[in-house]
Amino acid sequence: MRTFEDDPTLEDLLSADQLQRLNRMLSALCREPVEIGSDRKDGALALEFNLETIGWLAGGSSEQERLAAADLVSFLMMFIAKYRLAANLHHDTTEASYAELQKQNEALKASEARYRALSDQLQEQVDEQVTVIKQAQMDLYESARLRSVGQLAAGVAHEINNPIGFISSNLKVAGEYVNDLREVVPDTRQNRELLDDFTDLLGESSDGARRIASIVSDLKTFSSIDQADYTLCDVNELLASAVHLLQTEYGHDLEILKKPGELPKISGHPSRLSQTFYNLLDNAAQALREQTQESGAEGKAGRILAKTSVDSDGIRVVIQDNGCGIPESIREQVFDAFYTSRPVGSGTGLGLTVARDTVRAHGGSIQIDSREGTGTRVTLLLPVS
Amino acid sequence: MADHSPDDNRLALKVVFYGPALSGKTTNLMQLHSLLNPQRKGELMVLETRDDRTLFFDMLPIGLKGASGLDLRLKLYTVPGQVQHDSTRKAVLSRADAVVFVADSQTAQQDNNATAFGNLEENLEKVGLDIDTLPMAVQFNKRDLPGVVGDAELQKRWAETPWAPLQMASALHGKGVLETFRVLLDRLYTEVDREFALDTDHGIDRDTFIRQLSAASEDSRAYL
Ligand SMILES: Nc1nc2c(ncn2[C@@H]2O[C@H](COP(=O)(O)OP(=O)(O)O)[C@@H](O)[C@H]2O)c(=O)[nH]1
Ligand SMILES: [Mg+2]
């Protein structure tokens, strides 16, 4: 490949036309015609440029004339060559710059593509985050609402506690009075029937009051507003009140099988544990409800198992249902903050995230085994010390 | 790259005068043109200057014939020093066999020297040459001006480089130009002899090489 600095030949410097013209002009100046060519003729003078013989000058009437003509040609060649050199250099550098620009352009295109891909990816992430945030807002609203409902419940429970206390004890005293009356009123059939009925009424009322007292007690345990710190907890007791509360909410046709094992007390946060148990039970109950809706009345009987046991790993709490199960596709997400497969308002809104966080805070772990259409088993492991 | 054509027994070498704008590269070449009287000397081509500044390059061809008939040519080039002519500098620098770095001794020009030297390093790499192996001489020019960085200080600064000792010059007054050129020829000879066996194959030993190519300056001075 020729570069700008290659030594020019005669043809590089002058076209055939130009050479002819130069020959004519030189001949006009000399007595005899002069001819420049690339062949060396007799008596021809070398035309040098850059230490290079680029041609031969022949003709002319004398050596002197040839020398003069050759001088003139060298002088001209100098400028022609300068122009050529400059033009060639310009051409070379322009080509080089262009090649460089093209390379840069390619690189820019590549990086633009990279950035576009990155920006698409970012947009995707932003969209994802926006969805998460929207969900979080709804769930926060929901959980705040629930918290205030919980507080209200705790307040109500506290207020109910006193009257239900004296109602219970009054009913008991009233029962004794009825027995006293039996001694003093004439023993007629009508009186007997009246007093028996009276005793039954008081008994039913006592039962009712006892149930109210028990619900109130569960509500108190569950919301445990006054217990902010870790205390020694009886997991069975906490679980039992969560079960009771759930049954109160769902009605007694919800079958919950309790299998409490003998457990040591553990240091824990009672209200958070209660909340966790409640959430898991509530999930189970909803799974049963969904299963019933799907398979209709003739579906198998829904049942929840709440079992506790202890081994060398710690306390194991199993809450198992034979409900609809968790679809494979969302199993990865169930722990995600604020993820829910149900419309807001139908669940506690606190979900498995709270359960997981709580268990972790207690140094334990949570495991979910589920088969769609068959059921779900959630196992909590809580270390003993 | 030295351009050797064994057919016509020719060897063309390329020496590039590099440096910041206005450091005296063209002046060096003009002085060599008038001081040198080698076996063969071509025309000094000063290409298109504007306001006294080199737009393309300057070029001076010189040559000598070896005992073997080797036609040895040296083409001396300058580059435009101004920053914006980088692509021209790269084109001229490509395939260079040796470099003379002409620095400006004035205190205010030291940053420009450093920039130009960095640029040389960078461009050498781009055209596939290595500054550590390329024969090179470094000249500090304009020693005649007041307010130049001291001789000793400059020598000390460059003492640890492969280019020590520096050449001091006042190109405008023809001083130090030939000396610089000879130092360069000396370093160039080592490389060219290694590759082309100048001594054994062509009967050109180091002394001949240096003397012939930088010859007769004293003679031409004597003529003046
Ligand atoms: N005082 C002084 N001026 C110089 C010397 N060498 C060059 N110059 C001046 O510096 C200017 C630039 O020189 P030139 O050779 O064109 O620089 P180039 O850009 O490196 O080619 C010109 O005005 C020269 O006359 C020197 O040794 N001493
Ligand atoms: Mg110049």
Side-chain angles (χ1 to χ4, degrees), chain A residues 123 132 187 222 253 281:
Chain A
Q123 186 59 48
V132 165
D187 187 8
F222 179 72
D253 49 336
L281 289 163

Side-chain angles (χ1 to χ4, degrees), chain B residues 22 24-27 49 52-55 57-58 78-81:
Chain B
L22 297 177
K25 300 175 293 294
T26 302
T27 310
T49 62
D52 211 19
R53 294 192 163 200
T54 309
L55 276 187
F57 56 86
D58 311 308
T78 68
V79 295

Side-chain angles (χ1 to χ4, degrees), chain B residues 17-30 49 52-54 58 78-82 102 104 106 139-146 169-175:
Chain B
F17 284 69
Y18 212 93
L22 297 177
S23 67
K25 300 175 293 294
T26 302
T27 310
N28 259 274
L29 214 61
M30 284 179 2
T49 62
D52 211 19
R53 294 192 163 200
T54 309
D58 311 308
T78 68
V79 295
Q82 286 164 289
V102 181
D104 193 319
Q106 297 173 94
Q139 177 193 80
F140 270 79
N141 188 29
K142 306 196 183 177
R143 300 307 297 169
D144 56 292
L145 289 178
S170 176
L172 192 60
H173 304 100
K175 284 195 193 127

Side-chain angles (χ1 to χ4, degrees), chain A residues 308-333:
Chain A
T308 61
S309 61
V310 65
D311 56 37
S312 56
D313 295 333
I315 289 178
R316 211 175 283 277
V317 180
V318 174
I319 293 170
Q320 189 175 328
D321 66 72
N322 57 354
C324 61
I326 304 170
E328 183 92 47
S329 58
I330 66 162
R331 213 164 295 162
E332 304 259 302
Q333 288 139 278

Side-chain angles (χ1 to χ4, degrees), chain B residues 34-73:
Chain B
S34 60
L35 292 175
L36 282 183
N37 195 6
Q39 265 187 10
R40 312 182 64 206
K41 180 167 76 173
E43 293 287 344
L44 170 65
M45 310 235 295
V46 177
L47 245 77
E48 311 306 321
T49 62
R50 189 162 72 193
D51 308 331
D52 211 19
R53 294 192 163 200
T54 309
L55 276 187
F56 293 99
F57 56 86
D58 311 308
M59 200 267 279
L60 172 68
I62 58 176
L64 73 82
K65 278 246 193 277
S68 72
L70 176 73
D71 179 0
L72 186 122
R73 310 238 178 124

Side-chain angles (χ1 to χ4, degrees), chain A residues 156-174:
Chain A
V156 168
H158 187 78
E159 291 302 324
I160 288 175
N161 225 12
N162 267 332
I164 213 68
F166 61 74
I167 287 174
S168 288
S169 80
N170 286 358
L171 283 172
K172 211 170 135 212
V173 174

Side-chain angles (χ1 to χ4, degrees), chain A residues 8-15 18-19 22 49 54 72-88, chain B residues 45 47-48:
Chain A
T9 63
L10 190 59
E11 293 88 64
D12 287 335
L13 298 173
L14 291 172
S15 69
Q18 290 168 331
L19 189 60
L22 182 61
F49 174 74
I54 57 167
L72 185 58
V73 171
S74 288
F75 186 67
L76 287 175
M77 286 301 179
M78 167 94 163
F79 295 97
I80 298 170
K82 268 194 194 180
Y83 167 73
R84 273 273 139 246
L85 267 172
N88 288 348
Chain B
M45 310 235 295
L47 245 77
E48 311 306 321

